[in-house]
Amino acid sequence: ESVLTQSPDTLSLSPGERAVLSCRASQPLSNDYLAWYQQRPGRAPRVLIYRTSYRATGIPDRFSGSGSGTDFTLTISRLEPEDFGVYYCQHSGTSMFTFGGGTKVEIK
Amino acid sequence: QVQLVQSGAEVKKPGASVSVSCKASGYTFTANAIHWMRQAPGQGPEWMGWIYTDSGKTTYSQKFQGRVTFTRDTSATTVYMELRSLTSEDTAVFYCARSLGWFSDWGQGTPVTVSS
């Protein structure tokens, strides 16, 4: 199964700036079931994007996902103060589910 | 609305077992699998396995195979996770999550501390 590597480890940006988070798979993913989650301290993760590019219910349109094969991206078009936290990508395979190591987004 | 409510924090000694429950509401319990994740302090979530809530069929990550058991009670719309032979590495927050092919809804997490 693919290993998911996220970069950068940390992003420190100001409100209004654009954030681009990368998730790279060690081999082409078997399907498009790549999701992105946001986790704030002390809270459970919440899904932002599923199946690579679909926004989950209630997620603002400043969040978008794209990619295929081995390279996937989460873009936050204009950062809001509440967007701080750790972001994880995750792939659902046939019998294995894997998470990336996370990117921490800090708001300056 | 969909809710997954987990049981409370646990403190266990090394070698002991822990059981965590996850009560589902707001949807048809048998329609979706429930997955379990472990998240150690400062780390990302780690997938442990899943249970089909209709049949009770389970699949476990190789890492936890032989040490974990998932069960469900359809009348109580509750899934249970038992983890045995605890070590300090199991000091973590454990989450259940509903799967639609991705983890659409999560429980609030159950902290488990393993300490002598």
Side-chain angles (χ1 to χ4, degrees), chain A residues 84-98:
Chain A
F84 72 92
V86 182
Y87 291 76
Y88 297 100
C89 59
Q90 177 264 321
H91 178 245
S92 300
T94 310
S95 58
M96 187 69 179
F97 297 75
T98 53

Side-chain angles (χ1 to χ4, degrees), chain B residues 90-106:
Chain B
D90 296 311
T91 292
V93 178
F94 290 82
Y95 292 100
C96 62
R98 180 172 78 128
S99 174
L100 299 180
W102 56 93
F103 304 127
S104 58
D105 306 277
W106 294 65

